[in-house]
Structures are given as C-alpha cells and as structure tokens.
Amino acid sequence: ENPEFAAAVEAAGLRFVGPTPESLALYGDKLAARKLAVELGVPVLPGTPDAVDAAEAAAFLAGLPAGASMVLKAVAGGGGRGMRVVHEASEAASAVDAARREAEAAFGVADIYAERFIRAARHVEVQVLGDGRGGVATLGERDCTLQRRHQKLIEVAPAPFLSDDLRRRLAGYAATMAEAGAYRSLGTFEFLLDTATDEIFFIEANPRIQVEHTVTEAIWDVDLVAQQLRIAEGATLADLDLPDRPRGTAIQARVNMERIEADGTIRPAGGTLSAYDPPAGPGIRVDGFGYAGYRTSSAYDSLLA
C-alpha cells in the first residue's frame, strides 16, 4: 500500500498489479478517504477532520453526548495498529501518546484522529473490483465483527442477518466511493453498522487484496487474484464475465501463533510448531505455510493459516 513504490514501478515501464499510485495515496490515508466520503454524501461517524494531539482529542471527547466514548485511529494504516478506545477525558493524554507510538512504529507516520465510538456495532466490509476506467463491481459483503485486539478472527460471507435494503446501501456506498476515484484492481470498503439504529457509517478503505478475500471467492465462484492480474493486463469489467450473485455461505477462521499467559492474556508469540495438521475435504480451503518443526518468528505477523 505504498504509493511511492507503485509510482516507481510504473516509472520503470512495468505495470503495478494493484491500485494506481493516486488511489493508494487517497484511499490509504484514512482522513483523505473520510473527506471523500463526506463530499460524496456517504455517512461517516462524527470525528475530527484532521490529525489531533492530546488536548484536541480531549476536547473532541468532551463535545460528545454524555456517556459517549471515542476511538483513536492511525491516519496511515489499519489492522488495529494505533487504535485506542477512550472513555474518560483523563485517559486522553496517555491514550494519544500510546496510539502515536504504535502508529509510528507500524506505519512510519504517528498521526492519529478521533471518531465517536459505537458500542453495539457490526463491522461489515464490501469487496470491490474496478478496472481503472470507471467500471466498478461489488462482490457482496463480509461480516468481520468477531475480533480480538482489533484484529479480525472470523469472517462470514454473505454477512448474516442483513436486510436487502442494508445490503443495497452498503454496496451502493462502496461503489460510489470507488467510482469517484476511477478505482483499479481489488479493494475493500469498510463500514460500521449501528445495531440499535441500522445506521451505516463508512470507516476506512483498504486499497489491496485482503486476507479475507477467500470467503468472497468461495461463494462468488471467482478467483480474485486472477481478476486482479487480468485487469493489470488491461481487461475491463466487461471482459471478466463476473457472476451476478453469490451462492451459499463461507466462513473463514484465522489461526494465529499465540501464547496464553498465566493471567489469561493472549499475546502473539514465536516458537517451534510441534504439529501442523490442517483439515481437508469437500468445501474446506486452507491457506497456510506451517509444517511440523517450523520455527516461527515474532518479528512477523502472527497469522499462520
């Protein structure tokens, strides 16, 4: 998700398999993507239009309705890095400091912004495929509400218990934002659904293929990586002959390399795998890289399969 790298690839006379450098810069910056949503009439959570310091974060929290909380987010990245939920103004300074340190370590940019925290929310994301010429297709949605430490654990497609109206609105908002930037290649537009009011709020865009793309592939009977390569070769959406509806349900469970501490806390960990025996059979897909005797490293992401 590095626009400078993508630009260097294109400048060398090669084709970058992914979004354009301009799209990476726009959608990869959460504040820029949020501002685009506002311009297009796509609903967003109440939040700060720019990066904040501790005093500004505390002032934003104080301006929310009584009893409301805020969430701090890294401007330059996702994956839960640099995210903190703050309930009291007295916690703002330490939370901002911790969020900035984590964001800078993860993304090289310490900037953070604040949004209102929704207590009873579902996290639903829409898979988008664009040809870079104005053609955009949405391939359904995935529910990724089940998370730990802001890291997704379970993905379900299609998202269960959504009305047809909510599905249409989610797809429409995602397509509107992708079309505005003449999006090329694969991307995901993520939303929060307030379960108390059925309100939808855009929260971020991921201009890349995601770990959870496999559940979309399973029910849409489409190889998303192959489509990404075909678009890089110059294909339009009309050339791809995409299906118009999904079939069935798919669930993805992430297996992480972790250790359970004495106090019950679960943390990423490295070590040696004593056994690695993935399941197999009809309808089962495993994307992983382990084997018995494999020595893992805590220097990398804890996702194993």
Side-chain angles (χ1 to χ4, degrees):
E1 291 180 79
N2 187 316
E4 291 79 15
F5 176 76
V9 170
E10 302 280 356
L14 302 171
R15 179 63 62 89
F16 180 70
V17 181
T20 63
E22 294 77 16
S23 284
L24 289 170
L26 172 61
Y27 297 105
D29 182 321
K30 289 185 180 180
L31 278 178
R34 176 188 168 88
K35 289 174 182 176
L36 175 65
V38 172
E39 292 172 5
L40 296 172
V42 175
V44 298
L45 288 165
T48 60
D50 300 299
V52 296
D53 58 22
E56 291 165 333
F60 172 74
L61 178 59
L64 293 175
S69 302
M70 72 175 173
V71 57
L72 303 173
K73 296 181 179 179
V75 170
R81 272 78 171 185
M83 184 179 290
R84 295 290 188 281
V85 176
V86 183
H87 302 290
E88 303 290 341
S90 59
E91 304 168 355
S94 60
V96 166
D97 184 54
R100 285 177 57 83
R101 286 199 310 271
E102 187 175 6
E104 185 165 29
F107 313 115
V109 178
D111 290 349
I112 59 169
Y113 67 104
E115 286 182 338
R116 179 177 177 177
F117 178 64
I118 303 296
R119 297 181 184 277
R122 289 177 62 183
H123 190 162
V124 181
E125 56 192 22
V126 178
Q127 178 67 63
V128 165
L129 180 63
D131 59 17
R133 306 176 192 182
V136 169
T138 57
L139 296 173
E141 75 291 324
R142 303 182 288 255
D143 188 301
C144 51
T145 304
L146 289 176
Q147 303 179 16
R148 183 171 63 232
R149 295 192 313 271
H150 311 301
Q151 296 285 316
K152 299 168 185 175
L153 289 178
I154 302 293
E155 295 270 350
V156 183
F161 311 116
L162 287 187
S163 66
D164 290 341
D165 176 62
L166 283 174
R167 292 188 204 279
R168 284 193 295 269
R169 286 163 57 196
L170 284 163
Y173 289 146
T176 294
M177 293 195 66
E179 289 165 357
Y183 196 87
R184 184 185 79 189
S185 197
L186 294 169
T188 302
F189 290 79
E190 306 202 6
F191 301 86
L192 283 186
L193 173 63
D194 188 327
T195 57
T197 63
D198 273 355
E199 291 177 284
I200 296 172
F201 303 100
F202 167 76
I203 52 173
E204 67 180 26
N206 287 289
R208 55 178 169 84
I209 191 168
Q210 291 185 290
V211 172
E212 54 269 30
H213 76 278
T214 58
V215 290
T216 297
E217 290 187 330
I219 64 170
W220 284 82
D221 192 27
V222 61
D223 186 329
L224 290 175
V225 176
Q227 309 312 313
Q228 190 176 35
L229 290 167
R230 291 193 63 193
I231 286 174
E233 291 177 330
T236 67
L237 285 186
D239 300 322
L240 300 183
D241 191 28
L242 297 170
D244 58 4
R245 61 177 59 87
R247 179 175 62 89
T249 296
I251 302 173
Q252 180 191 88
R254 300 193 193 192
V255 179
N256 297 306
M257 299 173 285
E258 297 171 322
R259 176 181 293 110
I260 302 178
E261 308 290 357
D263 63 357
T265 303
I266 301 175
R267 302 187 185 281
T272 301
L273 291 179
S274 58
Y276 185 80
D277 187 16
I284 295 176
R285 167 176 175 168
V286 178
D287 294 80
F289 60 90
Y291 54 86
Y294 173 71
R295 293 186 58 81
T296 71
S297 171
S298 58
Y300 300 100
D301 195 276
S302 62
L303 182 62
L304 177 68

